[in-house]
Amino acid sequence: MSLGSVSEATMAKRVAIGGGMAAGRWAEELVKLGDSQGAMIISAYPEGMVPYDRTLLSKELLDADAAVLRSKDGFPALKTEAGDVMDAAWYAANGITILFGTTCEDVKLESSELVLRSTAAPDTTTTVGFEQLVIATGSRPRTLGVGEAPPFAAPGLWHDDLKAQVLSTEEEKGLEDHEVNYQHWEIEGAEKYGFGSVHTLRDVGDCEKLVRALMRPEDDGQETCFDPVVIVGGGLLTSEVVSSLIKYCPDLPLLVVFPSDMLYPHLFSQHENIAQVYERQMTKNGVKIARGYEAVRLWAVDEVGSFPTLDGPATSL
């Protein structure tokens, strides 16, 4: 459902701002309690893209051949404990409205109202009332900025440079029948996501861009770039991404950098031997480990000067 179909007089019993896993699980709990009728989810994601299973981002979705799973219509929706797929029909059947392509501009607590804006009509706003409100936008990914001003991506927003691709008749001829039914993502300015690009992994848009970079295109369009991929962090997500890259990009050099003296310091602080098992498995597969190093900032591709590296001083001209 789009914001344009909502009247100014709309009143929602319960509203969740954010279209990710938290909102999906919130909706599931309302259904369990028998109190889901009249609930609403405000989602900035494109039309039809219901709350999805983010845990797959660092696993099978990093396979370049999994384009259908990363597509707008094919991304795996959440499932209930009973195994029911929580697709658009599930939300509608349980009386839950999802406003796609919608952002919340303001929360007026005094009058219990939300000021909403549609990404399709950014010049106008709509006011919706609520009885109870849940903020489920998630968190910002930790990023490394250039210089002293790290850029932060606003949580819960969709990517301006990702559009659902409408296939032409000629393009459809080159696809299997089951692939034609899915709208794949088209990256505007895709050349930005190659050599020297920097990525976070928070939603399916991030995943699509990272997969594009992992295909290693160079300026001449050839897949001949074998520069190492540096993964900053020593937590669970790191191990999942490393495992996936070993599986799907076995010839890609990997370097993992983290500030502590062991992997998973928060999980295995009292069981260092378990962390060592994971680390040995990484090195066994050719992954280089740089423990005790903090990634301070990014060095821009066009930046000039000298800087320290793991192999000693280096100069960028």
Side-chain angles (χ1 to χ4, degrees):
M1 186 176 185
S2 65
L3 182 59
S5 58
V6 176
S7 68
E8 289 283 353
T10 294
M11 180 72 185
K13 186 175 181 180
R14 295 184 178 89
V15 178
I17 302 175
M21 284 187 69
R25 293 307 181 200
W26 168 77
E28 181 184 10
E29 288 301 314
L30 290 181
V31 173
K32 288 180 183 178
L33 296 171
D35 201 13
S36 61
Q37 295 295 321
M40 178 181 289
I41 294 175
I42 310 299
S43 174
Y45 290 118
E47 182 78 31
M49 195 169 177
V50 298
Y52 53 81
D53 188 354
R54 285 184 59 221
T55 65
L56 300 179
L57 294 176
S58 54
K59 302 182 183 74
E60 50 262 60
L61 291 187
L62 289 180
D63 182 0
D65 294 330
V68 169
L69 285 180
R70 291 190 304 274
S71 69
K72 173 179 175 292
D73 309 287
F75 197 86
L78 295 170
K79 292 184 178 180
T80 65
E81 290 183 355
D84 298 327
V85 177
M86 298 167 60
D87 54 14
W90 182 89
Y91 288 93
N94 287 287
I96 302 171
T97 299
I98 302 181
L99 294 184
F100 295 104
T102 303
T103 59
C104 180
E105 297 290 308
D106 191 16
V107 178
K108 298 181 178 180
L109 295 179
E110 301 83 2
S111 56
S112 296
E113 292 179 321
L114 302 175
V115 179
L116 306 180
R117 188 183 302 275
S118 169
T119 54
D123 295 332
T124 59
T125 60
T126 299
T127 301
V128 171
F130 64 88
E131 293 182 18
Q132 295 177 340
L133 179 65
V134 173
I135 307 296
T137 54
S139 58
R140 301 173 187 266
R142 295 180 61 184
T143 60
L144 298 172
V146 177
E148 300 300 325
F152 289 107
L157 299 183
W158 187 240
H159 302 248
D160 292 336
D161 56 356
L162 269 184
K163 308 296 181 184
Q165 181 182 18
V166 179
L167 300 177
S168 65
T169 303
E170 289 300 315
E171 289 173 321
E172 289 183 2
K173 290 179 180 179
L175 297 175
E176 299 291 336
D177 289 341
H178 72 281
E179 294 181 305
V180 175
N181 297 324
Y182 298 97
Q183 296 185 51
H184 298 272
W185 298 113
E186 180 179 3
I187 305 176
E188 297 178 356
E191 66 279 357
K192 296 184 297 183
Y193 303 108
F195 171 75
S197 59
V198 181
H199 302 260
T200 57
L201 189 56
R202 187 181 181 278
D203 62 24
V204 67
D206 295 327
C207 188
E208 184 70 22
K209 295 173 183 179
L210 177 56
V211 169
R212 198 272 176 188
L214 292 173
M215 294 171 67
R216 290 162 280 180
E218 293 196 30
D219 292 339
D220 58 3
Q222 301 297 313
E223 297 180 12
T224 55
C225 179
F226 290 92
D227 294 286
V229 169
V230 178
I231 302 173
V232 179
L236 182 61
L237 183 61
T238 291
S239 66
E240 291 180 347
V241 171
V242 167
S243 177
S244 297
L245 296 188
I246 290 172
K247 179 179 181 179
Y248 300 123
C249 307
D251 57 348
L252 188 66
L254 301 177
L255 170 65
V256 177
V257 180
F258 50 88
S260 60
D261 58 357
M262 60 180 288
L263 286 169
Y264 319 126
H266 302 297
L267 286 176
F268 301 133
S269 58
Q270 305 299 320
H271 304 280
E272 186 174 350
N273 59 320
I274 300 179
Q276 290 172 349
V277 171
Y278 283 93
E279 187 172 324
R280 284 197 299 269
Q281 192 64 25
M282 287 185 185
T283 55
K284 178 182 177 181
N285 285 277
V287 180
K288 293 184 177 180
I289 305 290
R291 69 176 67 81
Y293 286 91
E294 181 180 359
V296 178
R297 70 175 182 91
L298 300 172
W299 186 273
V301 174
D302 57 354
E303 193 169 350
V304 177
S306 298
F307 54 92
T309 72
L310 297 176
D311 298 319
T315 301
S316 176
L317 301 177

